Every structure is written in C-alpha cells, then in structure tokens.
Amino acid sequence: IRRPPRSTPLYSSAASDVYKRQIESVGVLHHMADPLSGWKVLTNCLKPGGLMRIGLYSELARQDSVKAGNIIAEKHISSDKQEMLKFRKQIVKLDDPELNKLKTSYDFYSTSTVRDLLFHVQEHRFTIPQINEALGELGLTFMGFNFSDDMPKEGFKKAYPKEGMLYDLDKWHEYEIAHPMLFRQMYQFWAQKL
C-alpha cells in the first residue's frame, strides 16, 4: 500500500491517492477547523465497501466541558500546567451540578488528559442527526456504535427491541436524549462506504 508522506496534510489531494479497506479516525476530526472536509478526504481514501471507524465528541454529553470552557475563556485561564491545576482545584471546590460531572471523568485527574478535556484550542461537538446527515453526504452507511462494554447496547435493545433498531440513528438520538451521558467519551461508530 502506498502511503502519502508523513507531512501530507489531511486536506491535501495527495492524501486521497491511497485507497484502504479500513480507516480509523477517533478523536481527531472534531479538533480540525473543518471536520467534514477532513472526513471527506478520509472517505475518498476508502475503497468501496470499506469500513471506517470514527470517533466524535457528543454535544449533549459534553455540556460540562462546554461550561468549563466558557469559564476558562471568560477568565483567560491559560493551558500552562500551573493554571490548569489551579482551575481543576477550583472545580473540585465548587458544588456546581454541571461541573461536578467532570469529576467523574478519568481525564479530569491527569494534567495531559485534563488539557484534552478542557483546554483544547479548537473543538467541534456533534449530534446524532448531524452525524446522520454527514454520513449521507459522504456516501457512508451507519454500521453501529462501538462501546467498551455491552451495557449501553443492552439498554438500547430493551428500549427498542424491534430487530434492526441498533442501526437506526433516529432511535439512537431519542435514546441519547433520555441518557445524555451515554456518549461521555465520544461517539465511536463504524460506517461502510457504499
């Protein structure tokens, strides 16, 4: 398989000269200036019938991070290690129901991961309807969410027992609204190129 040079930007046409059966991009696209453009380049690199695993932040599940990000911006808190640690201590002392959710994240307790959780320069969050629309625009078919354990899928199947519902993004959207922390880490899903 030919690979573009390491320095080839994702947006470049040289990146789409490589055709793969499987592409994985988890935690990258949502930090790009234009995630859909990057996703399109990846899709162009995928062979017809190929599989793509994508990971994107959930708008609904990251409301605590959004609130923290707004405070960081308002108070001009830098991503310097001391500033991040000081801000994290302030959150621990606060009794804010939204910000308290941050304390349940493993990422909150490490300097490098709290930077990723709260101090990213650029972050886009998505909804399931936006993902569904993007899949249509890119000629991709949703093949299912990927979870670290079976509990989320089992809960979904109890709520929507009809066969085939695991692939219904409208039903997943309803389920996420009822369970807003379901995609706390991020949406991770498989799609297939038509």
Side-chain angles (χ1 to χ4, degrees):
I1 296 174
R2 282 187 17 241
R3 294 175 184 243
R6 276 192 166 287
S7 62
T8 302
L10 183 56
Y11 290 122
S12 81
S13 59
S16 62
D17 289 341
V18 180
Y19 298 100
K20 299 192 175 269
R21 290 187 189 128
Q22 182 174 317
I23 294 173
E24 296 189 27
S25 177
V26 177
V28 177
L29 294 173
H30 53 232
H31 292 302
M32 297 180 76
D34 185 354
L36 197 55
S37 291
W39 197 355
K40 185 176 184 176
V41 170
L42 292 176
T43 302
N44 290 340
C45 294
L46 193 63
K47 289 182 177 186
L51 293 173
M52 181 178 284
R53 181 173 172 232
I54 297 292
L56 300 168
Y57 284 147
S58 163
E59 179 70 50
L60 194 56
R62 288 187 59 86
Q63 288 306 298
D64 52 355
S65 299
V66 170
K67 184 171 185 174
N70 290 339
I71 294 168
I72 290 165
E74 287 169 12
K75 294 186 176 187
H76 306 288
I77 301 169
S78 76
S79 60
D80 166 84
K81 181 178 178 180
Q82 296 308 316
E83 289 285 310
M84 289 191 303
L85 295 175
K86 182 178 168 185
F87 181 64
R88 186 171 64 190
K89 283 181 185 177
Q90 290 172 356
I91 290 175
V92 169
K93 289 179 184 177
L94 290 174
D95 189 25
D96 181 292
E98 192 70 45
L99 294 177
N100 283 343
K101 294 176 191 172
L102 290 170
K103 300 173 200 175
T104 66
S105 171
Y106 292 118
D107 292 344
F108 187 71
Y109 297 98
S110 161
T111 306
S112 62
T113 55
V114 82
R115 177 179 282 116
D116 190 50
L117 180 68
L118 303 176
F119 288 87
H120 250 289
V121 178
Q122 183 167 262
E123 175 182 299
H124 297 275
R125 293 166 307 279
F126 293 81
T127 63
I128 291 176
Q130 288 172 323
I131 289 170
N132 198 13
E133 184 178 331
L135 290 170
E137 286 178 30
L138 296 169
L140 298 169
T141 300
F142 177 71
M143 299 301 288
F145 284 110
N146 183 226
F147 295 98
S148 59
D149 63 58
D150 290 335
M151 286 178 48
K153 283 185 183 176
E154 293 306 316
F156 179 86
K157 286 195 277 190
K158 283 181 184 175
Y160 301 99
K162 188 177 172 186
E163 192 171 329
M165 290 294 105
L166 280 173
Y167 309 103
D168 186 327
L169 284 170
D170 292 332
K171 296 299 181 198
W172 275 107
H173 179 57
E174 289 175 14
Y175 193 69
E176 183 187 19
I177 288 170
H179 303 87
M181 299 306 283
L182 180 66
F183 296 102
R184 175 72 177 134
Q185 295 303 315
M186 66 182 76
Y187 300 115
Q188 289 190 49
F189 58 92
W190 289 93
Q192 186 172 33
K193 188 171 185 178
L194 302 174

